[in-house]
């Protein structure tokens, strides 16, 4: 079969897609080939076309043009969350396969509308919940399925969001407005809870608590004070269908110096598995270090 022709909305010469997605496409060059891109500005579209030697569309209707192009079989949506639904719908209506980064949309209703439209058009879709593809998570899945630490008794995590603290990078300032759909709940917690249920199974019951304890934040580059409506504290506690108890606490901002940005423990009746990462508590992006005790389980 010929490689699937991929068109990317949000591709730039030096940005998120280049670092997060392009290496995977290049490693799978027998299956996928990058053929087109769309950006909101013609200037950046011209730069992308020259840099990658692909077709590129620029301007307000560039995403729709890309979706309708005959040289595109699959559309990748790699832009900010508020734009996900509109851009993904162009691909769905053009009956193209579509990959959308997580979160799928702003809230449940947008997700439902996209899912129903994709089903009605009979297309293949994928949401980028990539934590379960991390090598540490995949190895943990293998060990847990083999009962290497016995029956699971409990699991707990403490993680830092990175953003949603006292300071925020200019590029992330939009995340402080909850209406934009990119919050500590939807991003780090959303990715983490997908990894949790992948390893340990779904929740049977839970209680969740959220709070916005900071009413504002400072732009790191300029010192400007901006209002925050997004939650910066999240606690989820519950029981999994297996009977194991789970406790999750996410905090806004960066970790305290000298501590880990992510500490996740899975307790079995024959051992303990831990994941740790410096920086922030984004299990999908931090490549956590894994340890299993007793040491003979390695």
């Amino acid at each position: 079969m010929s490689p699937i022709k991929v068109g990317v909305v949000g591709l730039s010469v030096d940005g998120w897609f280049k670092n997060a997605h392009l290496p995977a496409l290049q490693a799978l060059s027998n299956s996928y080939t990058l053929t087109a891109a769309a950006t909101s500005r013609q200037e950046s579209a011209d730069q992308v076309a020259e840099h990658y030697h692909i077709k590129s569309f620029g301007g307000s209707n560039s995403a729709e043009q890309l979706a309708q192009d005959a040289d595109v079989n699959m559309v990748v949506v790699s832009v900010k969350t508020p734009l996900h639904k509109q851009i993904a719908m162009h691909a769905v209506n053009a009956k193209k396969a579509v990959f959308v980064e997580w979160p799928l949309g702003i809230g449940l209703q947008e997700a439902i509308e996209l899912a129903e439209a994709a089903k009605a058009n009979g297309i293949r879709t994928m949401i980028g919940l990539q934590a379960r593809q991390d090598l540490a998570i995949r190895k943990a899945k293998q060990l847990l399925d083999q009962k290497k630490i016995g029956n699971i008794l409990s699991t707990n995590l403490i993680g830092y969001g990175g953003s949603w603290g006292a300071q925020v990078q200019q590029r992330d300032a939009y995340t402080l407005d909850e209406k934009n759909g990119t919050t500590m709940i939807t991003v780090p917690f959303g990715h983490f809870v997908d990894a949790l249920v992948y390893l340990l199974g779904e929740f049977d019951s839970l209680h969740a608590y959220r709070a916005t304890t900071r009413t504002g934040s400072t732009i790191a580059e300029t010192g400007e004070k901006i209002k925050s409506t997004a939650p910066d504290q999240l606690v989820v506690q519950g029981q999994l269908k297996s009977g194991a108890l789970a406790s999750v606490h996410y905090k806004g901002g960066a970790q305290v110096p000298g501590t880990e940005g992510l500490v996740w423990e899975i307790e079995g009746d024959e051992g303990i598995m831990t994941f740790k990462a410096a920086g922030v508590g984004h299990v999908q992006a931090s490549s956590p270090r894994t340890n299993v005790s007793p040491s003979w389980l390695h």
Side-chain angles (χ1 to χ4, degrees):
M1 293 179 62
S2 300
I4 295 172
K5 299 176 182 178
V6 178
V8 180
V9 182
L11 178 61
S12 62
V13 171
D14 187 17
W16 170 252
F17 185 90
K18 178 181 178 180
N19 298 318
H21 298 288
L22 189 59
L25 285 177
Q26 292 172 333
L28 298 169
S29 58
N30 290 333
S31 300
Y32 299 92
T33 181
L34 183 63
T35 59
T39 71
S40 58
R41 296 183 299 111
Q42 187 60 51
E43 179 184 0
S44 59
D46 293 340
Q47 292 175 345
V48 166
E50 181 179 358
H51 184 80
Y52 294 104
H53 306 292
I54 59 175
K55 187 183 301 185
S56 187
F57 303 94
S60 58
N61 65 339
S62 59
E64 185 174 8
Q65 289 178 299
L66 180 141
Q68 295 175 350
D69 192 87
D71 285 330
V72 172
N73 306 130
M74 173 177 143
V75 177
V76 174
V77 180
S78 181
V79 294
K80 294 179 179 179
T81 307
L83 301 174
H84 281 191
K85 179 192 171 184
Q86 176 186 357
I87 292 173
M89 200 64 82
H90 288 316
V92 170
N93 291 335
K95 298 187 183 298
K96 301 292 177 70
V98 60
F99 174 103
V100 185
E101 292 183 338
W102 178 264
L104 177 57
I106 300 177
L108 179 60
Q109 185 57 40
E110 286 196 359
I112 290 173
E113 291 175 16
L114 281 168
E116 290 178 344
K119 184 177 181 180
N121 282 281
I123 63 169
R124 292 189 175 188
T125 62
M126 184 175 180
I127 303 170
L129 286 159
Q130 67 266 33
R132 60 176 65 199
Q133 301 301 326
D134 184 273
L135 292 177
I137 300 298
R138 291 170 65 182
K139 182 61 176 179
K141 176 67 171 173
Q142 179 185 8
L143 295 174
L144 292 169
D145 286 349
Q146 294 171 354
K147 296 282 188 179
K148 290 294 187 178
I149 61 171
N151 296 313
I152 305 304
L153 306 178
S154 69
T155 185
N156 60 82
L157 173 134
I158 295 178
Y160 288 85
S163 293
W164 310 286
Q167 282 194 336
V168 63
Q169 298 293 315
Q170 181 73 62
R171 68 176 184 272
D172 296 326
Y174 79 103
T175 68
L176 298 184
D177 184 347
E178 188 172 17
K179 293 180 181 178
N180 286 326
T182 305
T183 69
M184 191 169 63
I185 295 175
T186 61
V187 181
F189 175 75
H191 281 286
F192 165 71
V193 77
D194 179 65
L196 185 153
V197 300
Y198 172 63
L199 293 184
L200 304 178
E202 298 284 347
F203 277 88
D204 183 57
S205 61
L206 62 82
H207 294 277
Y209 308 88
R210 47 166 280 173
T212 304
T213 60
R214 301 180 190 273
T215 57
S217 187
T218 301
I219 301 294
E221 294 89 339
T222 66
E224 178 189 358
K225 303 286 187 179
I226 60 172
K227 182 180 179 181
S228 176
T229 60
D232 53 46
Q233 295 285 336
L234 172 68
V235 174
V236 177
Q237 295 179 319
Q239 188 168 33
L240 305 180
K241 289 184 177 180
S242 66
L245 297 183
S247 177
V248 182
H249 184 187
Y250 266 98
K251 310 173 184 184
Q255 83 277 19
V256 176
T259 65
E260 304 284 355
L262 179 148
V263 179
W264 180 14
E265 177 185 274
I266 299 174
E267 178 196 14
D269 58 11
E270 296 180 15
I272 295 177
M273 180 181 296
T274 58
F275 302 84
K276 294 184 179 181
V280 295
H282 292 242
V283 67
Q284 82 284 1
S286 58
S287 297
R289 307 185 309 277
T290 310
N291 182 63
V292 182
S293 179
S295 60
W296 60 264
L297 293 175
H298 282 289

